[in-house]
Amino acid sequence: MTDDLEATRRRPLWSLIGIGLFAGFLSGMFGIGGGIVIVPLLVLAAGFERRLAAGTSLAAIVPAALVGVASYAALEQVAWLVALILVIGSVTGAQVGAHLLHRLPLLAIRWAFIVFLAAVAVSLFLVVPSREAELELTVLPIIGLIVLGFCTGVLSGILGVGGGIIIVPMLILVFGQSDLVAKGTSLAMMIPTAISGTIGNLRRKNVDLRSALVVGLSACVTTALGAAVANLLDPRTASIVFAVFLAVLIVRLAIEAVKSSRKA
């Protein structure tokens, strides 16, 4: 226990603050939790073991997502019922994903996910979302949202990816949502998922609470700024910027997949 406390005290404070500020801005701008950025930065810049980085990141996401949701909700850019439906699917899917984690070919799934993100990135260059669009919740869209939430949860459980990176483009491309509403809704659905996951990680002693608090509070400083920038961009520019962000993410995921295949 003493060793754990000593390791916590040795975490580089300014690195944690910098990680939080950067991740918070991206979270607000793109409607993502920020874990896709926080985890590798905790490993590379703060010397975290990857599993502890994932647990700490999930805890840090909660305050940032709350600020992000508040920023989008202030402008009526959160579809609360859509977020609830997505949560129902994702909570179930996450349990299935965790169960399948050691039963499926992880490398093949990782490459399939990379191909999926590449297709999404290309599509975002071609589609201009309407900010006046509204999703009518009839039977078919509700079923589609549950399926989307479930698939997102499964991938989260298997690959550890955050839901926002899937939810935001799918709400835009498949359900015709405004890009801003898609981002606000994505952040809203992450909150219960992140809280649930954090409770589980705390039980397994898989969270550095001090570091999570530093990163999370730092992220709160820039999340609203990221949301403000998203509102300033026109829909076409916002889609292109998100597609470029996905392209950078694809490169990073591909490098990790290649390294994993070499170790196998």
Side-chain angles (χ1 to χ4, degrees), residues 57-148:
S57 169
L58 198 61
I61 284 170
V62 176
L66 286 168
V67 172
V69 167
S71 301
Y72 281 98
L75 298 172
E76 299 184 349
Q77 291 165 349
V78 180
W80 297 105
L81 187 53
V82 171
L84 177 61
I85 295 169
L86 289 168
V87 167
I88 292 170
S90 68
V91 169
T92 307
Q95 298 303 314
V96 174
H99 180 70
L100 295 174
L101 180 59
H102 301 293
R103 299 168 184 260
L104 296 175
L106 184 59
L107 194 59
I109 294 172
R110 186 173 290 177
W111 279 112
F113 181 60
I114 290 170
V115 171
F116 163 76
L117 286 183
V120 167
V122 171
S123 299
L124 286 171
F125 276 105
L126 304 175
V127 174
V128 181
S130 168
R131 290 191 172 167
E132 283 70 47
E134 290 187 13
L135 177 58
E136 187 178 347
L137 288 176
T138 55
V139 174
L140 198 58
I142 289 174
I143 293 172
L145 288 168
I146 293 173
V147 171
L148 173 60

Side-chain angles (χ1 to χ4, degrees), residues 23 45 48 72 93 119 138-139 190 245 251 262:
F48 275 67
Y72 281 98
T138 55
V139 174
M190 281 177 210
F245 172 72
V251 171
R262 287 175 179 172

Side-chain angles (χ1 to χ4, degrees), residues 31-44:
I32 60 174
I36 202 79
V37 177
I38 294 173
V39 174
L41 288 179
L42 285 177
V43 172
L44 295 172

Side-chain angles (χ1 to χ4, degrees), residues 162-248:
I165 209 68
I166 304 168
I167 293 294
V168 173
M170 288 297 96
L171 285 179
I172 295 171
L173 297 172
V174 177
F175 294 91
Q177 277 280 32
S178 153
D179 59 313
L180 296 176
V181 173
K183 293 169 183 176
T185 304
S186 170
L187 287 169
M189 74 150 288
M190 281 177 210
I191 294 170
T193 306
I195 291 173
S196 174
T198 297
I199 292 171
N201 283 324
L202 284 170
R203 287 173 181 166
R204 300 181 187 94
K205 297 182 179 179
N206 200 29
V207 181
D208 182 334
L209 274 178
R210 171 187 172 274
S211 297
L213 188 63
V214 173
V215 173
L217 292 179
S218 300
C220 290
V221 175
T222 51
T223 302
L225 176 61
V229 171
N231 275 276
L232 289 174
L233 295 176
D234 65 87
R236 176 67 176 165
T237 304
S239 289
I240 292 174
V241 171
F242 191 77
V244 171
F245 172 72
L246 284 181
V248 173

Side-chain angles (χ1 to χ4, degrees), residues 1-11 208-210:
M1 185 70 175
T2 304
D3 291 342
D4 291 340
L5 287 172
E6 283 301 315
T8 297
R9 291 191 191 101
R10 288 197 299 268
R11 303 294 186 198
D208 182 334
L209 274 178
R210 171 187 172 274

